[in-house]
Amino acid sequence: MTGTLLDRFKQEPLVPLGAAATIGAFLYAAHGMYRGNFKQTQLGMRSRVALQGLTVCALVGYGLYSTTGSKPVRKEDMRDIDWERLARESKAAEDADKLRKEQALAAQVAKAKQAKTVFAPEPKDK
């Protein structure tokens, strides 16, 4: 775990630095709030927001860099899609679903006809 965390810090050094700077700005603002120094509190909170935004930008930047650094997929490695077969299978699945719903409805209608009422049966007294 520690080795992996240190490796991540080495790969993305701006993220832990940004997090530490954000915490520092927050503590600076909290100290100003404790002392009643309005200007220090405002400066600390504004710098916290700015540093937090820069940290998020660093995260996004490292994410984009790591995804664009991967090898592109060659066209030869991609398999062809049989669109006609895909359309046939989709239509068959839709038809099967429609048939299943119609059969369930027909079973409900037959059950209601057998009971000769659409209302629930009255409970039988003991």
Side-chain angles (χ1 to χ4, degrees):
M1 176 69 182
T2 307
T4 306
L5 195 57
L6 289 176
D7 290 339
R8 287 299 292 260
F9 285 171
K10 289 177 185 175
Q11 291 173 355
E12 303 171 357
L14 293 179
V15 175
L17 287 175
T22 302
I23 292 170
F26 178 75
L27 292 175
Y28 180 74
H31 185 263
M33 194 179 298
Y34 176 74
R35 288 183 25 199
N37 188 346
F38 179 73
K39 287 185 178 184
Q40 181 181 349
T41 302
Q42 284 297 311
L43 178 64
M45 284 298 177
R46 288 177 182 168
S47 60
R48 177 196 61 84
V49 169
L51 289 169
Q52 199 168 358
L54 290 174
T55 304
V56 170
C57 288
L59 276 168
V60 170
Y62 284 126
L64 289 174
Y65 177 74
S66 68
T67 57
T68 56
S70 62
K71 295 188 298 183
V73 178
R74 296 182 311 172
K75 188 165 183 155
E76 297 85 33
D77 294 339
M78 296 174 64
R79 65 183 172 143
D80 293 330
I81 297 175
D82 186 3
W83 292 104
E84 290 82 20
R85 187 193 67 151
L86 192 62
R88 283 193 311 269
E89 289 176 357
S90 175
K91 176 103 172 84
E94 288 175 2
D95 291 344
D97 187 48
K98 185 177 178 182
L99 180 63
R100 184 187 53 79
K101 288 179 182 177
E102 288 174 356
Q103 288 174 345
L105 182 62
Q108 285 179 345
V109 169
K111 189 176 181 181
K113 283 182 180 178
Q114 187 180 11
K116 295 184 182 179
T117 180
V118 292
F119 299 108
E122 295 183 20
K124 295 180 182 178
D125 294 336
K126 293 182 180 180

